[in-house]
Amino acid sequence: MIRKGRIVFAVALTALGLGLTACNDGEDEATGQESPSASAPASSAPSSESPSAEPSDDASAVPSGDVTAPGTKLKVGDRAVLPFTYGTSKKGTVAVTVTAIEKGTEADMAPFGEKAKGMTPYYIRMKVENVGGTDLSYSSLRLRGKLAGGAPTGVILIGDLPGKCDSETAPRDFTTKGASYETCSLSATKTDPIAVAAFEEGDAYSDSPVLWTS
Protein backbone atom coordinates (compact mmCIF):
# COMPACT_ATOMS: atom_id res chain seq x y z
CA MET A 1 0.00 0.00 0.00
CA ILE A 2 1.45 3.36 -1.04
CA ARG A 3 1.06 6.07 1.57
CA LYS A 4 0.77 9.57 0.19
CA GLY A 5 2.46 12.00 2.51
CA ARG A 6 4.03 15.42 2.74
CA ILE A 7 7.32 15.73 0.93
CA VAL A 8 10.12 16.88 3.24
CA PHE A 9 13.55 17.91 2.02
CA ALA A 10 16.43 18.54 4.39
CA VAL A 11 19.88 19.92 3.65
CA ALA A 12 22.85 20.94 5.78
CA LEU A 13 22.07 24.64 5.43
CA THR A 14 20.45 27.28 7.64
CA ALA A 15 16.66 26.80 7.65
CA LEU A 16 14.82 29.25 5.45
CA GLY A 17 11.37 28.90 6.96
CA LEU A 18 10.42 26.24 4.44
CA GLY A 19 10.68 23.16 6.62
CA LEU A 20 14.39 22.74 6.03
CA THR A 21 16.38 21.03 8.77
CA ALA A 22 20.00 20.06 9.23
CA CYS A 23 21.02 16.55 8.21
CA ASN A 24 24.22 14.68 8.91
CA ASP A 25 24.62 11.03 7.84
CA GLY A 26 27.96 9.70 9.01
CA GLU A 27 27.93 6.69 6.69
CA ASP A 28 27.05 8.54 3.50
CA GLU A 29 28.67 11.95 3.73
CA ALA A 30 31.20 12.95 1.12
CA THR A 31 34.18 14.98 2.28
CA GLY A 32 33.59 18.65 1.62
CA GLN A 33 30.14 17.92 0.22
CA GLU A 34 26.76 18.50 1.79
CA SER A 35 24.55 15.49 2.32
CA PRO A 36 20.97 16.45 1.46
CA SER A 37 18.13 14.11 2.28
CA ALA A 38 14.59 13.97 1.00
CA SER A 39 11.49 12.00 1.71
CA ALA A 40 8.73 10.94 -0.66
CA PRO A 41 5.67 8.64 -0.53
CA ALA A 42 6.78 5.29 0.87
CA SER A 43 5.31 1.84 1.35
CA SER A 44 4.04 1.03 4.83
CA ALA A 45 3.67 -2.32 6.54
CA PRO A 46 0.44 -3.24 8.36
CA SER A 47 0.39 -1.84 11.88
CA SER A 48 -0.20 -5.31 13.31
CA GLU A 49 3.28 -6.30 12.21
CA SER A 50 5.21 -3.64 14.11
CA PRO A 51 8.95 -4.42 14.27
CA SER A 52 9.00 -3.29 17.90
CA ALA A 53 7.59 -6.60 19.14
CA GLU A 54 9.60 -9.02 21.28
CA PRO A 55 12.19 -11.10 19.40
CA SER A 56 10.84 -14.29 17.86
CA ASP A 57 12.02 -17.58 19.38
CA ASP A 58 12.19 -19.29 15.99
CA ALA A 59 14.80 -16.89 14.57
CA SER A 60 17.76 -19.08 13.78
CA ALA A 61 21.42 -18.19 13.43
CA VAL A 62 23.20 -19.40 10.33
CA PRO A 63 26.83 -20.60 10.45
CA SER A 64 29.20 -17.95 9.15
CA GLY A 65 30.39 -20.29 6.42
CA ASP A 66 26.94 -20.26 4.86
CA VAL A 67 26.74 -16.51 4.33
CA THR A 68 28.53 -14.05 2.08
CA ALA A 69 31.42 -12.48 3.98
CA PRO A 70 31.51 -8.75 4.73
CA GLY A 71 33.49 -6.87 2.10
CA THR A 72 32.66 -9.29 -0.72
CA LYS A 73 32.58 -7.68 -4.17
CA LEU A 74 30.05 -9.01 -6.65
CA LYS A 75 28.66 -8.17 -10.08
CA VAL A 76 25.07 -7.29 -10.89
CA GLY A 77 23.30 -10.61 -11.34
CA ASP A 78 25.24 -12.32 -8.54
CA ARG A 79 23.48 -13.73 -5.47
CA ALA A 80 24.59 -13.04 -1.90
CA VAL A 81 23.36 -14.92 1.19
CA LEU A 82 23.11 -12.52 4.10
CA PRO A 83 22.06 -12.44 7.76
CA PHE A 84 19.06 -10.15 8.12
CA THR A 85 17.36 -8.50 11.06
CA TYR A 86 14.25 -6.32 10.86
CA GLY A 87 13.48 -4.38 14.00
CA THR A 88 13.60 -6.62 17.06
CA SER A 89 11.01 -9.15 15.99
CA LYS A 90 12.33 -10.51 12.69
CA LYS A 91 15.61 -12.33 12.18
CA GLY A 92 16.80 -14.83 9.62
CA THR A 93 18.82 -15.29 6.45
CA VAL A 94 18.02 -13.94 3.00
CA ALA A 95 19.55 -14.18 -0.44
CA VAL A 96 19.76 -10.95 -2.39
CA THR A 97 20.30 -10.81 -6.14
CA VAL A 98 20.80 -7.35 -7.63
CA THR A 99 19.25 -7.57 -11.08
CA ALA A 100 19.88 -4.01 -12.30
CA ILE A 101 21.21 -0.57 -11.42
CA GLU A 102 19.18 1.65 -13.75
CA LYS A 103 19.69 5.35 -14.40
CA GLY A 104 16.57 7.50 -14.31
CA THR A 105 16.12 11.09 -15.44
CA GLU A 106 16.10 14.35 -13.51
CA ALA A 107 12.43 14.68 -14.46
CA ASP A 108 11.69 11.51 -12.47
CA MET A 109 12.56 13.46 -9.32
CA ALA A 110 9.57 15.79 -9.70
CA PRO A 111 7.76 14.33 -6.62
CA PHE A 112 10.60 15.69 -4.47
CA GLY A 113 10.02 19.25 -5.69
CA GLU A 114 12.35 22.02 -6.76
CA LYS A 115 14.87 21.20 -4.07
CA ALA A 116 15.77 18.00 -5.97
CA LYS A 117 16.78 19.97 -9.04
CA GLY A 118 20.04 18.67 -10.48
CA MET A 119 19.68 15.19 -8.95
CA THR A 120 19.74 12.08 -11.12
CA PRO A 121 17.94 9.04 -9.65
CA TYR A 122 19.15 5.47 -9.89
CA TYR A 123 16.97 2.42 -9.38
CA ILE A 124 18.54 -0.59 -7.67
CA ARG A 125 16.35 -3.55 -8.56
CA MET A 126 16.68 -6.79 -6.64
CA LYS A 127 15.19 -10.16 -5.82
CA VAL A 128 15.02 -11.16 -2.15
CA GLU A 129 14.66 -14.81 -1.11
CA ASN A 130 13.95 -16.32 2.30
CA VAL A 131 16.82 -18.77 2.89
CA GLY A 132 16.48 -19.46 6.61
CA GLY A 133 12.76 -20.23 6.60
CA THR A 134 11.97 -17.88 9.51
CA ASP A 135 9.04 -15.47 9.58
CA LEU A 136 10.19 -12.36 7.73
CA SER A 137 6.74 -11.28 6.57
CA TYR A 138 6.24 -7.54 6.08
CA SER A 139 9.94 -6.83 6.53
CA SER A 140 11.79 -4.54 4.16
CA LEU A 141 15.36 -4.48 2.90
CA ARG A 142 17.24 -1.57 1.39
CA LEU A 143 20.45 -1.34 -0.58
CA ARG A 144 22.29 1.95 -0.87
CA GLY A 145 23.69 3.34 -4.10
CA LYS A 146 27.37 4.30 -4.20
CA LEU A 147 29.72 5.89 -6.68
CA ALA A 148 32.35 3.83 -8.47
CA GLY A 149 34.64 2.17 -5.95
CA GLY A 150 32.07 2.46 -3.15
CA ALA A 151 32.31 6.20 -2.42
CA PRO A 152 29.16 7.81 -0.97
CA THR A 153 26.87 9.90 -3.16
CA GLY A 154 26.28 12.63 -0.58
CA VAL A 155 22.52 12.27 -1.09
CA ILE A 156 20.03 10.45 1.13
CA LEU A 157 16.53 9.73 -0.12
CA ILE A 158 13.66 8.45 1.99
CA GLY A 159 10.83 6.83 0.07
CA ASP A 160 10.33 5.66 -3.48
CA LEU A 161 9.02 6.77 -6.87
CA PRO A 162 5.75 4.89 -7.48
CA GLY A 163 5.70 3.30 -10.88
CA LYS A 164 9.42 3.75 -11.39
CA CYS A 165 11.08 2.43 -8.22
CA ASP A 166 8.65 0.86 -5.75
CA SER A 167 10.11 -0.11 -2.39
CA GLU A 168 8.11 -3.23 -1.56
CA THR A 169 7.75 -4.94 1.79
CA ALA A 170 7.94 -8.72 2.02
CA PRO A 171 4.56 -10.39 1.48
CA ARG A 172 2.57 -12.05 4.25
CA ASP A 173 3.73 -15.52 3.16
CA PHE A 174 7.45 -14.62 3.26
CA THR A 175 7.84 -17.18 6.04
CA THR A 176 9.23 -20.30 4.36
CA LYS A 177 12.41 -21.34 2.57
CA GLY A 178 12.28 -20.40 -1.09
CA ALA A 179 9.72 -17.62 -0.73
CA SER A 180 10.77 -14.54 -2.70
CA TYR A 181 9.73 -11.10 -3.83
CA GLU A 182 11.15 -8.26 -5.90
CA THR A 183 11.76 -4.71 -4.77
CA CYS A 184 13.65 -1.53 -5.64
CA SER A 185 15.86 0.86 -3.67
CA LEU A 186 16.03 4.48 -4.78
CA SER A 187 19.30 6.43 -4.75
CA ALA A 188 20.36 9.69 -6.34
CA THR A 189 23.44 11.72 -7.13
CA LYS A 190 24.36 15.25 -8.10
CA THR A 191 27.86 14.33 -9.19
CA ASP A 192 29.28 11.13 -10.67
CA PRO A 193 27.11 8.19 -11.76
CA ILE A 194 26.00 5.56 -9.28
CA ALA A 195 27.68 2.29 -10.20
CA VAL A 196 27.52 0.25 -6.97
CA ALA A 197 24.79 -1.19 -4.75
CA ALA A 198 25.76 -1.80 -1.13
CA PHE A 199 24.34 -4.02 1.62
CA GLU A 200 25.42 -2.49 4.91
CA GLU A 201 22.92 -3.71 7.51
CA GLY A 202 24.35 -5.05 10.76
CA ASP A 203 27.58 -4.15 12.51
CA ALA A 204 29.92 -6.25 10.37
CA TYR A 205 28.42 -5.09 7.08
CA SER A 206 28.14 -1.42 8.03
CA ASP A 207 31.92 -1.36 8.38
CA SER A 208 32.56 -3.57 5.35
CA PRO A 209 29.51 -3.79 3.05
CA VAL A 210 28.84 -6.32 0.34
CA LEU A 211 29.08 -4.48 -2.99
CA TRP A 212 27.51 -5.20 -6.38
CA THR A 213 29.01 -3.33 -9.34
CA SER A 214 27.33 -2.75 -12.67
Side-chain angles (χ1 to χ4, degrees):
M1 178 178 70
I2 301 299
R3 182 179 66 210
K4 301 294 184 182
R6 183 171 62 92
I7 295 175
V8 178
F9 191 87
V11 296
L13 293 173
T14 301
L16 300 178
L18 298 176
L20 299 184
T21 59
C23 176
N24 183 9
D25 186 314
E27 295 180 3
D28 210 7
E29 183 177 34
T31 301
Q33 180 181 4
E34 292 164 350
S35 299
S37 70
S39 64
S43 301
S44 62
S47 59
S48 61
E49 297 291 338
S50 171
S52 62
E54 290 299 319
S56 173
D57 291 336
D58 64 355
S60 59
V62 174
S64 59
D66 293 342
V67 301
T68 303
T72 299
K73 295 181 180 180
L74 304 170
K75 293 291 187 181
V76 168
D78 290 342
R79 179 176 183 266
V81 177
L82 302 163
F84 177 65
T85 300
Y86 183 71
T88 59
S89 63
K90 309 283 185 179
K91 180 181 288 185
T93 308
V94 296
V96 178
T97 304
V98 175
T99 57
I101 301 175
E102 295 179 1
K103 181 181 179 181
T105 66
E106 184 178 335
D108 294 342
M109 296 294 290
F112 290 96
E114 286 297 317
K115 300 178 187 69
K117 186 176 180 180
M119 290 186 182
T120 301
Y122 283 77
Y123 311 137
I124 302 172
R125 306 193 188 280
M126 72 194 91
K127 178 181 178 181
V128 183
E129 305 168 62
N130 189 330
V131 173
T134 56
D135 182 358
L136 297 174
S137 57
Y138 303 115
S139 61
S140 62
L141 185 149
R142 174 182 171 84
L143 301 182
R144 180 164 289 182
K146 303 282 187 179
L147 306 182
T153 65
V155 176
I156 305 166
L157 293 177
I158 302 171
D160 56 10
L161 289 174
K164 293 186 180 294
C165 187
D166 294 293
S167 178
E168 304 287 353
T169 56
R172 182 174 59 184
D173 60 356
F174 197 64
T175 59
T176 59
K177 290 183 180 181
S180 66
Y181 70 101
E182 295 182 356
T183 185
C184 180
S185 289
L186 175 65
S187 289
T189 178
K190 275 192 169 184
T191 56
D192 297 331
I194 289 175
V196 177
F199 175 85
E200 47 190 23
E201 297 190 17
D203 292 341
Y205 294 92
S206 63
D207 293 335
S208 188
V210 171
L211 303 176
W212 288 263
T213 58
S214 57

